[in-house]
């Protein structure tokens, strides 16, 4: 892509530290949740789980794919189960790992991404055959016939360090909330990581929302403002993500031939619109 930065992994804990270090005068309440939120005339009434009621100028639902704020605001939205199981873990950074590296085989992918001088992140994904149920105990076994770098990682990893997830996709919503209740990140556009863009899009949502909040006096209709600003870019990522999902389900010889013939071109096309700088007030 030329102008974009390196592809790096980051621990959630480190991201939180970076965000927290840059916040001032914010009143935090951790370890709680809300049981209801409701759009009133010009504010949002929130009920906390301990029964306390409070009004806010704006509520941001950034609480992931199964967002309760989304449910309270827009009702039950179906989530599509794309894959039953994948796992992630952190390893000591292999000495010869210069950049992100993907190993792809028949119905299995193994991705290694540098995180720091000393650590790297691993994602292992498999597509189950129609008659197969993927089991955690034997999940990494099919990767033992990958090149030495991969089989050594699989042999050495402590199975207790693996983090398991299903892969889910939320249909893209027409409205990212309601008036002053705004949904961002996976709460509004959860998608499986075939494009590896979920967290990046979530961070972009936060940047754009922050920009809009600081440049407007009136926050009425903020959910619509964000929908307009963000939907097109997110829709692109979602559609390209679905194309990649189809690719993983093609017969192996078809997908590997396709990758060899048009892989690089498609890769550049996939990311080109996402590599464009966001238009924020301060960068205009
Ligand atoms: C296997 C896998 C691999 C991925 N790989 C990549 C990748 O390579 N690159 C990439 O960019 N993205 C990737 N993603 C996607 C990325 O993880 C998500 O898009 C990102 O975490 C979304 O951030 P979020 O803050 O919107 O939601 P989340 O990360 O889900 O955070 C939501 C937070 O809200 C909290 N919460 C939930 N409910 C409540 C409640 N009721 N009250 C209070 N708090 C609540 C949760 O505890 C959580 O801390 C991957 C996802 C998966 C599953």
């Amino acid at each position: 892509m030329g102008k974009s930065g390196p592809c790096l992994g980051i621990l959630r804990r480190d991201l939180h530290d970076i965000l927290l270090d840059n916040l001032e005068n914010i009143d935090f309440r951790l370890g709680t949740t809300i049981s209801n939120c409701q759009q009133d005339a010009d504010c949002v009434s929130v009920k906390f789980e301990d029964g306390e009621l409070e009004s806010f100028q704006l509520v941001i639902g950034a609480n992931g794919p199964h967002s309760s704020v989304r449910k309270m605001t827009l009702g039950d939205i179906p989530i599509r189960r794309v894959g039953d199981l994948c796992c992630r873990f952190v390893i000591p950074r292999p000495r010869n790992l210069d950049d992100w590296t993907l190993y792809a085989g028949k119905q299995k992918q193994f991705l290694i991404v540098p995180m720091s001088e000393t650590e790297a992140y691993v994602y292992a994904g498999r597509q189950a055959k129609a008659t197969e149920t993927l089991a955690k105990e034997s999940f990494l076994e099919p990767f033992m016939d990958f090149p030495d770098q991969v089989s050594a990682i699989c042999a050495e990893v402590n199975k207790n360090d693996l983090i398991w997830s299903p892969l889910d996709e939320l249909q893209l919503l027409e409205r990212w909330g309601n008036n002053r209740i705004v949904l961002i990140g996976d709460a509004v556009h959860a998608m499986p990581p075939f494009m590896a863009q979920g967290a990046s899009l979530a961070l972009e949502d936060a940047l754009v929302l922050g920009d809009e909040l600081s440049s407007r006096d009136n926050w009425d209709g903020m959910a619509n403002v964000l929908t307009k600003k963000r939907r097109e870019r997110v829709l692109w990522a979602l559609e390209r993500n679905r194309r990649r999902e189809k690719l993983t389900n093609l017969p192996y010889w078809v997908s590997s031939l396709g990758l060899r013939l048009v892989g690089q071109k498609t890769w550049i096309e996939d990311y080109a619109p996402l590599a464009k700088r966001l238009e924020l007030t301060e960068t205009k």
Side-chain angles (χ1 to χ4, degrees), residues 12 32-33 62-65 68 86 88 121 123 165-167 184-187 193 196-200 202:
R12 188 175 285 259
T32 183
T33 189
N63 56 346
S68 51
C86 70
R88 291 176 280 180
Y121 154 88
Y123 164 88
S165 336
L167 297 179
I184 64 171
D186 274 16
Q197 287 298 297
S200 318

Side-chain angles (χ1 to χ4, degrees), residues 7-8 12 16 32-34 61-69 72 86-88 111 113 121 123-124 163-168 184-203 205:
C7 173
L8 295 172
R12 188 175 285 259
H16 285 182
T32 183
T33 189
I34 62 174
N63 56 346
H66 302 281
S67 168
S68 51
V69 178
M72 287 167 202
C86 70
C87 76
R88 291 176 280 180
L111 172 71
V113 182
Y121 154 88
Y123 164 88
I163 296 167
W164 299 97
S165 336
L167 297 179
D168 290 332
I184 64 171
D186 274 16
V188 71
H189 49 66
M191 60 185 87
F194 301 120
M195 286 276 286
Q197 287 298 297
S200 318
L201 292 171
L203 287 167
D205 290 346

Side-chain angles (χ1 to χ4, degrees), residues 248-268:
T248 61
N249 290 318
L250 286 175
Y252 180 58
W253 71 268
V254 181
S255 56
S256 57
L257 184 68
L259 264 180
R260 240 171 277 139
L261 293 178
V262 290
Q264 194 177 7
K265 179 176 163 286
T266 316
W267 196 270
I268 291 169

